[in-house]
Amino acid sequence: MRTTFGRVALVSLLFAVLAVSGATFFAGAAPAADKAAKKPLDVQAAPDPGQKGKKPLDIQAAPAAEEKDAFIVITAEGLADPNADAYTRDKALMIEDLRRDAKAQILEKAVGAYVETSTLVENYTLISDRVLSRSQGLIKRVIKESEPWIGEDGFAHMLMKAEVSVVPITEALREMTRGERVALLKEYGNPRISVAIFIRDAERGPDVVPERSEIAENVLKEHIKGFGYRVWSEEHVEKLRARLEKKTEGNAVEATVSASSPKAADFSIVGEAKFKTVSARLPASGLTVTKYVLTSWSVKCIDNHTGEEIYFNNQVPRKQSWADEDQAIEEIGRIVGGEFSREFFEEHLQAPSKMFQLEVAGLPSYDLGQLLRKEFIGLRPVLNIDFREFDASGTSLYEVEFTGSRGNFNELLTSAILVPLNQKVGQGAFTLESAKGNVVRLRYAASLDAAALTEKLNATAPASVATAAPQRIKEIVKSEETMKKVAEVSPEIVKKLSEEPSQGAKTGLDAVKNF
């Protein structure tokens, strides 16, 4: 079986153990443009040690995969406040805290693959106690880390890439009480799947238009419905969409169109079978017997959210023939169905991340492209990002591994990517032009020239603090000066922290411990 499946994640989030064969996507060390803004530290950072088989023809679910070596590779940015009094006495302590925060962010991104972003922030303390505090057992190894640096934005920084064991994370989430995990874990609806099976006469050549076979499709539909999944009609969706897009005079129904636009299928299965007839005259009776022979068949499955062909296969069978045309067509439906199990769709639908091509138009310089990459590294939905191509007169290209639910990907781009970037650079600086398949296109449209934008990216607090949980800001920010930097991109967090009552020692023992 040939397949383009890059990761395997057999997931049932509430009752089964997740096994993920994660991405190994690499990002570089500190960006070149950012290094110009660094102030060297007295203490150097030391490295932290640290073909599926063919399914039988009878249609049945594949057995669950083993859980060993399940991990994902994640890149994150650790932050610390260099103005903290403790760091003036011990620079090594700051580097230790940078590593600790970087590891916490790596785990936060891993948890974000299975927990909605808003829920993660709201339950940050709970998740931190149960998961984020266990970095030693969950981070398999640190692949690399950058040298620490103090930026013009008032923060000390460190980039880190690490392998994270996934099974213990999902186990930790499942260990929570039922009330906790129902509120935390993402809900995945049954996928919508469309099918199209075409039949072609092998003897009439490739110029003949193949015909759709409802018989073969209905057999495959029954197979899919047996999983509890929904069968979707792409043709009917297109008819509904065309009807809704007809605007009345004055665009009176425009709001209704956007609110009730029909949804496409999550996956589309497309197959084609070629038959030929073989006739033979029986000497004894003089009768002519005709059989229908399957000469070849092909099938592919497309992820309609990204356009990726997640599975494809071709077969040239031997000695398969039927006495009746309908029997032959019905059998091809069973053969195609045998290529897919319930787990096949769950693996892809609930994989922790997806690869996207990110195009950014209007970047003034290559160094700004690297600085933008650093900002993306800090954002929670971005597991990894690589800067591939730069074009000052066109679009610059990134490859990004995003995490997040598939159904609201545009919402994720807006709330978790564009909002924090624009809070740092200026409202409207970055806009979403399109998100089609696995290609996302952003545009930089601010009036800042290259020098001004470089200054803005270097001197303003990281975009990641705009969406950080208040508890994290409270943990890393130790001075009024740095808190003012945070207020520039996230005044709401600073206001919330300022309104919290100061907590004195609960007992004399607490006071002595904190002395």
Side-chain angles (χ1 to χ4, degrees):
M1 179 186 298
R2 297 181 59 202
T3 178
T4 55
F5 233 155
R7 295 173 291 279
V8 175
L10 303 182
V11 182
S12 178
L13 285 176
L14 297 178
F15 304 103
V17 177
L18 169 70
V20 176
S21 181
T24 54
F25 193 72
F26 291 90
D34 204 31
K35 292 180 180 178
K38 298 177 186 177
K39 292 189 286 186
L41 299 180
D42 294 336
V43 180
Q44 295 294 322
D48 197 17
Q51 226 31 255
K52 300 180 184 177
K54 291 292 180 186
K55 300 179 180 65
L57 189 57
D58 57 326
I59 297 171
Q60 59 184 16
E66 296 182 5
E67 296 174 2
K68 64 181 180 180
D69 297 330
F71 65 91
I72 50 178
V73 175
I74 299 176
T75 305
E77 180 181 39
L79 300 175
D81 184 352
N83 298 311
D85 292 338
Y87 299 154
T88 60
R89 299 188 295 270
D90 188 353
K91 293 287 179 62
L93 178 60
M94 182 172 68
I95 295 176
E96 181 182 335
D97 285 348
L98 279 171
R99 285 200 182 102
R100 180 164 43 247
D101 186 59
K103 290 179 179 179
Q105 293 312 296
I106 285 171
L107 292 181
E108 187 173 323
K109 288 186 177 189
V111 170
Y114 311 108
V115 176
E116 294 290 355
T117 295
S118 58
T119 308
L120 194 156
V121 173
E122 293 168 2
N123 297 271
Y124 185 85
T125 301
L126 172 65
I127 294 175
S128 179
D129 291 342
R130 299 296 181 91
V131 184
L132 305 185
S133 60
R134 297 169 52 184
S135 63
Q136 187 172 358
L138 300 179
I139 294 181
K140 185 176 180 181
R141 68 184 179 99
V142 174
I143 297 173
K144 63 180 176 180
E145 63 182 33
S146 72
E147 294 181 0
W149 78 93
I150 297 176
E152 296 174 18
D153 58 4
F155 282 91
H157 303 251
M158 176 183 285
L159 304 180
M160 180 179 290
K161 180 190 291 289
E163 289 181 355
V164 180
S165 297
V166 177
V167 173
I169 288 179
T170 55
E171 287 177 343
L173 292 173
R174 283 197 308 276
E175 286 171 2
M176 298 179 181
T177 66
R178 177 175 175 80
E180 290 173 342
R181 67 180 181 228
V182 166
L184 288 175
L185 293 172
K186 291 178 181 176
E187 297 295 332
Y188 292 90
N190 291 335
R192 302 179 293 259
I193 303 171
S194 68
V195 300
I197 304 296
F198 296 88
I199 304 298
R200 185 190 295 274
D201 186 342
E203 295 179 338
R204 296 176 64 186
D207 295 332
V208 178
V209 177
E211 299 179 356
R212 289 280 293 269
S213 172
E214 290 189 2
I215 295 177
E217 289 179 3
N218 288 341
V219 172
L220 182 54
K221 289 174 184 177
E222 285 297 324
H223 175 53
I224 292 169
K225 290 183 70 175
F227 300 151
Y229 295 161
R230 295 169 290 175
V231 178
W232 224 244
S233 171
E234 294 286 5
E235 295 78 11
H236 190 62
V237 166
E238 289 304 318
K239 289 178 182 178
L240 288 175
R241 186 173 287 132
R243 190 184 309 164
L244 288 170
E245 287 175 353
K246 290 181 180 178
K247 298 177 182 178
T248 61
E249 185 176 355
N251 295 333
V253 298
E254 190 170 358
T256 305
V257 171
S258 62
S260 59
S261 179
K263 305 298 184 183
D266 296 303
F267 301 98
S268 291
I269 297 175
V270 181
E272 180 177 289
K274 292 182 181 179
F275 289 93
K276 69 177 182 180
T277 56
V278 178
S279 299
R281 186 175 181 275
L282 301 178
S285 62
L287 296 176
T288 299
V289 177
T290 300
K291 286 194 173 184
Y292 293 85
V293 179
L294 178 63
T295 61
S296 67
W297 61 268
S298 64
V299 63
K300 63 182 177 181
C301 183
I302 302 167
D303 181 344
N304 292 325
H305 293 276
T306 65
E308 179 186 2
E309 291 190 6
I310 60 176
Y311 174 77
F312 52 88
N313 193 10
N314 302 305
Q315 290 290 325
V316 180
R318 296 285 184 267
K319 299 179 180 180
Q320 286 188 270
S321 63
W322 297 267
D324 181 83
E325 181 180 2
D326 288 342
Q327 289 180 0
I329 293 174
E330 185 177 356
E331 187 64 23
I332 194 61
R334 293 193 179 92
I335 292 173
V336 172
E339 296 295 297
F340 301 99
S341 66
R342 180 196 302 270
E343 289 81 5
F344 173 86
F345 297 105
E346 290 180 351
E347 288 170 6
H348 200 79
L349 185 67
Q350 304 191 49
S353 63
K354 298 292 176 187
M355 298 299 299
F356 286 83
Q357 177 175 300
L358 174 65
E359 299 176 352
V360 182
L363 288 179
S365 73
Y366 175 82
D367 284 351
L368 283 168
Q370 290 285 14
L371 286 176
L372 183 61
R373 172 173 167 264
K374 187 189 78 68
E375 295 298 329
F376 270 95
I377 287 175
L379 297 176
R380 187 181 296 112
V382 177
L383 296 192
N384 294 286
I385 180 169
D386 198 10
F387 189 19
R388 291 297 190 187
E389 299 175 5
F390 169 74
D391 187 350
S393 61
T395 59
S396 299
L397 176 63
Y398 298 82
E399 286 183 352
V400 185
E401 188 178 1
F402 279 114
T403 184
S405 58
R406 306 150 57 87
N408 61 347
F409 185 66
N410 288 352
E411 180 183 336
L412 172 72
L413 286 173
T414 300
S415 61
I417 304 295
L418 292 179
V419 167
L421 283 177
N422 286 334
Q423 283 185 245
K424 173 166 182 159
V425 179
Q427 293 304 316
F430 291 92
T431 58
L432 175 62
E433 286 197 335
S434 64
K436 298 178 180 179
N438 62 346
V439 179
V440 176
R441 184 179 176 87
L442 305 182
R443 175 171 291 278
Y444 171 69
S447 58
L448 298 175
D449 60 16
L453 181 57
T454 299
E455 173 65 21
K456 192 78 171 177
L457 289 174
N458 277 325
T460 309
S464 59
V465 305
T467 56
Q471 290 88 337
R472 185 198 176 201
I473 300 301
K474 191 173 182 180
E475 290 171 1
I476 63 176
V477 177
K478 306 298 183 181
S479 66
E480 187 67 27
E481 179 181 353
T482 305
M483 189 63 79
K484 289 179 181 179
K485 289 283 189 179
V486 174
E488 293 177 10
V489 297
S490 187
E492 298 84 2
I493 291 181
V494 175
K495 181 180 179 182
K496 183 174 182 178
L497 291 174
S498 66
E499 292 173 351
E500 289 184 358
S502 58
Q503 297 183 1
K506 297 179 181 179
T507 66
L509 179 60
D510 291 332
V512 173
K513 287 181 177 179
N514 295 327
F515 178 70

